[in-house]
Amino acid sequence: MATLQMHESEIESLVASIPRDLLIDGKWVPALAGRTFETIDPTTETVITWVAEGSAEDIDRAVVAARRALDNPNWSAIAPQERTRLLLRIADLIEANAEKFAILETLDNGMPISTARGFAHGAAACFRYYAGWPTKMHGDTNPSAPNVFNYTRREPIGVCGLIIPWNVPLSAAALKIAPALACGNTVILKPAEQTPLSSLLLGQLILDAGVPPGVVNIVNGFGESAGAALSNHPHIDKIAFTGSTSVGKQILRASSGNLKRVTLELGGKSPNVIFPDANLEAAVAASLNGFCQMAGQMCIASSRIFVHEAIHDAFVEKLTEQARLISIGNPFLPETRMGPLVSHEQLERVAAYFAIGADEGAIVRTGGKRHGQVGYFVEPTIFTDVSNHMRIAKEEIFGPVTSVLTFRDEDDAVFQGNDNDYGLAAAVWTNDIGKAHRVAHRLKAGTVWINTYLMASHMSPFGGYKQSGIGREMGAASLDAYTQIKSVFAQL
Ligand code: NAP
Ligand code: MG
């Protein structure tokens, strides 16, 4: 395993200590068909362990449990303060187990251990943030007519299917489970097949916190079977999905059978616009981090860098210089800044784009190669001489790869930045405060950064314009995603 020698046995016993079955109705149970699948350590390409492989029949069992739990007064009729207490307990347990989460996530996903620690504490903070909401979700009274008392209530949507990707597994699970529970729903989580481990530990802690059986169910398995069964299921009321745009479209189609509520957090190809008056050092550092953190496997990656023609050469020189200094290797070592890609499939996908970029006539300034023989490592890669219509500039690569493009003026930057099917995030770098906000307003993206990159907060809504998604998560926006509003009229 990809660990420091001294910790190896400790880590093996940690993996052995977590549940590997499906969590259904408050119990860990094997898949009905008895199948399991392996999860791989992307650093060493070896098997970490096996977990139960749920399929449609297991989803059926989970739906029965989740429906029953939804109407059970031990969940539906508890006081809001009690939901707060449960969410706070989960947060405390996550924090107490943060190091375990960090190790599991680094093993399974390959992200640097310091990053994984940050996500573990972030997941606790997310549960704490949503713990504040049950006591503060209120309706309105409306002056509908003099002889009528008309008020609104926020009610849970019901049974929610939560489908998440492999790039930030614990964080993705927390960002969906915490608000869903705060709003009184019950859930069935389907983690990504590449990274099941952190969700399993989370499931155990949720049980330990005293959440009633059936409120949180976890069914590991594959997208085409377990995932599709969730989005097709006639007795699931909502799907919250984070993943690729192509699967998002399939989910939307599959959900139409019973008109499920659907929120989608999808891909991105974020424009990062750098004006000549910007702080160049800061822009270079943040842009580099923006496509190399998590080995670029981020929906908000800084994958299209638009640099004003006057500073293009200086910017590229600095960016290239710094990209070459990034330490790639064992993600358990504190000095490692970039670990492997998550899977062999992802390695092949990213390598294919190296070839596509070269064929399209772009120039590789650095990288463009696999790093080492073992593990799914690739070098940070910078393409220049890119046009906005090349595939490397249009499509999400999901690796440590960026394209540097040029622009003439503000209008050109905005036009090119927006000339893409995605609209998840964008950034603008300038010391002109008016221009900064003007450009921020004109870029069609759910998140825009000014003189920074990669910032997010549990308190602030996150989501996509255009084909980057439907709806918003995080902040108070999650209340809209996980409740429905009822209007009650009483004759006076
Ligand atoms: P993916 O292939 O779309 O998979 C996401 C999840 O959907 C996985 O759990 C997958 O299961 C499941 N799935 C696959 N096919 C399905 C189907 N037909 N029906 C139902 N579920 C299905 O995405 P990924 O490769 O894991 O993750 C990378 C993508 O996620 C990127 O496009 C990235 O931009 C996006 N992302 C977006 C955000 C955001 O907030 N906007 C955040 C993170 C990532 P299996 O993996 O088990 O097959
Ligand atoms: Mg794995």
Side-chain angles (χ1 to χ4, degrees), residues 37 162-168 172 175-176 190-195 220-232 239 241-248 250-251 254 264-269 297-301 342 345-346 349 396-398 422 424 462-464 468-469 473-474:
F37 66 98
L162 315 177
I163 304 177
I164 59 171
W166 44 258
N167 65 332
V168 285
L175 284 174
K176 289 186 176 4
K190 209 289 288 169
E193 69 194 59
Q194 297 85 350
T195 53
N220 274 305
F222 300 120
E224 314 79 67
S225 47
L230 278 176
S231 42
N232 279 323
I239 296 286
F241 171 78
T242 300
S244 59
T245 294
S246 65
V247 173
Q250 291 177 45
I251 302 253
L264 302 173
E265 296 282 359
L266 309 176
K269 193 77 184 177
Q297 301 166 114
M298 291 177 294
C299 50
I300 52 179
V342 74
E345 191 188 351
Q346 197 60 18
R349 183 187 154 82
E396 188 178 47
I397 299 174
F398 232 57
Y422 292 112
L424 193 60
F462 180 85
S468 287
E473 290 187 329
M474 301 172 47

Side-chain angles (χ1 to χ4, degrees), residues 172-386:
L175 284 174
K176 289 186 176 4
I177 295 175
L181 299 189
C183 295
N185 299 280
T186 60
V187 306
I188 301 161
L189 175 75
K190 209 289 288 169
E193 69 194 59
Q194 297 85 350
T195 53
L197 301 181
S198 55
S199 290
L200 293 167
L201 176 56
L202 180 62
Q204 184 57 48
L205 300 183
I206 287 172
L207 285 186
D208 295 347
V211 172
V215 171
V216 174
N217 305 276
I218 299 178
V219 179
N220 274 305
F222 300 120
E224 314 79 67
S225 47
L230 278 176
S231 42
N232 279 323
H233 207 288
H235 300 130
I236 291 182
D237 305 300
K238 177 196 162 99
I239 296 286
F241 171 78
T242 300
S244 59
T245 294
S246 65
V247 173
K249 290 178 183 177
Q250 291 177 45
I251 302 253
L252 201 53
R253 279 193 290 272
S255 296
S256 70
N258 66 334
L259 277 190
K260 288 181 188 68
R261 279 59 185 146
V262 177
T263 42
L264 302 173
E265 296 282 359
L266 309 176
K269 193 77 184 177
S270 303
N272 179 14
V273 177
I274 300 157
F275 284 94
D277 65 339
N279 175 337
L280 201 61
E281 301 295 325
V284 166
S287 303
L288 181 71
N289 203 36
F291 76 91
C292 290
Q293 189 162 319
M294 317 287 299
Q297 301 166 114
M298 291 177 294
C299 50
I300 52 179
S302 159
S303 50
R304 286 188 301 151
I305 308 180
F306 290 95
V307 185
H308 188 271
E309 4 182 75
I311 54 164
H312 174 267
D313 293 353
F315 181 90
V316 168
E317 193 178 315
K318 284 185 199 301
L319 189 71
T320 307
E321 205 177 276
Q322 292 192 20
R324 292 195 177 122
L325 297 176
I326 285 192
S327 50
I328 309 172
N330 183 336
F332 281 94
L333 297 174
E335 66 269 23
T336 294
R337 200 160 150 207
M338 214 172 83
L341 297 171
V342 74
S343 63
H344 188 255
E345 191 188 351
Q346 197 60 18
L347 175 66
E348 287 190 327
R349 183 187 154 82
V350 172
Y353 278 101
F354 293 154
I356 291 168
D359 286 350
E360 289 178 309
I363 292 180
V364 179
R365 292 299 175 124
T366 187
K369 292 198 297 289
R370 189 174 177 178
H371 171 92
Q373 301 301 313
V374 177
Y376 310 126
F377 297 93
V378 292
E379 294 179 357
T381 300
I382 300 169
F383 282 113
T384 60
D385 299 71
V386 179

